[in-house]
Amino acid sequence: MKDTTGAVLAGGLSRRFGSDKSAAPWRATTLVETVAAVVSGVFDLTLIVVKDPAPFLRLERPGCSVVCDLRPEAHSLGGVSSALAHAATERVFVCACDMPFLNAGLVRGLAELGGGFDAVVPVWEGRLQPLCAVYGRACVPVIDHLLSQERARVQDVFDLVRTRVVTEEEIRAMDPQGRSFMDLDTRAEYERAREAASC
């Protein structure tokens, strides 16, 4: 897809995980490489948004670029803002680096639903999924405003822009079990997921 850029956020502190989870082994590679491979299979360009580019330079290749998070905070909102700043396209699909079951069909489906909206966000099990969503440039001033507030959350963006909420019924047609939304915040979640995936 040429009109949307993919972005994988890998600039978090991984406090609950205990180490840099982007580099955690997954099958024959790492979590961040697994997710980036899915995203780059959908979009012409995928950005890996990181705090320190040096450990990620091995991921540089045609169609995949490592870029610096422009915000000092370890905050998902800052990652989204940085992805939009680096992208040449009007819209960016954003996901986290700890979502190894991300489904390419879901990613493409979300990107195709953006016409006439500033953001596209799925709902799964009654919760918005802001780190598997599409953001347009109209979100930038809203994100900047939210980042100026100490308690801002990435999901607050959707109350302030024209948002297309993708229902669970719609999601099930693309990812029947919603496995794309499984993120691995803790070491225990990671080990359970590895066992389920036979890594």
Side-chain angles (χ1 to χ4, degrees), residues 85-100:
H86 285 292
T89 55
E90 180 68 23
R91 302 185 310 146
V92 176
F93 167 80
V94 175
C95 67
C97 69
D98 62 345
M99 302 170 73

Side-chain angles (χ1 to χ4, degrees), residues 15-48:
R15 287 192 186 94
R16 294 172 61 194
F17 197 80
S19 63
D20 179 8
K21 62 183 168 183
S22 72
W26 189 266
R27 296 196 170 102
T29 180
T30 63
L31 280 176
V32 67
E33 289 171 280
T34 298
V35 176
V38 174
V39 177
S40 62
V42 176
F43 305 106
D44 285 10
L45 178 62
T46 294
L47 307 174
I48 313 297

Side-chain angles (χ1 to χ4, degrees), residues 45-49 59-67:
L45 178 62
T46 294
L47 307 174
I48 313 297
V49 183
L59 302 181
E60 285 271 4
R61 62 182 187 275
C64 188
S65 294
V66 176
V67 299

Side-chain angles (χ1 to χ4, degrees), residues 61-108:
R61 62 182 187 275
C64 188
S65 294
V66 176
V67 299
C68 195
D69 191 337
L70 303 175
R71 296 281 185 168
E73 316 96 328
H75 196 303
S76 299
L77 265 176
V80 175
S81 175
S82 296
L84 285 162
H86 285 292
T89 55
E90 180 68 23
R91 302 185 310 146
V92 176
F93 167 80
V94 175
C95 67
C97 69
D98 62 345
M99 302 170 73
F101 300 111
L102 188 66
N103 180 308
L106 173 66
V107 174
R108 182 176 296 277

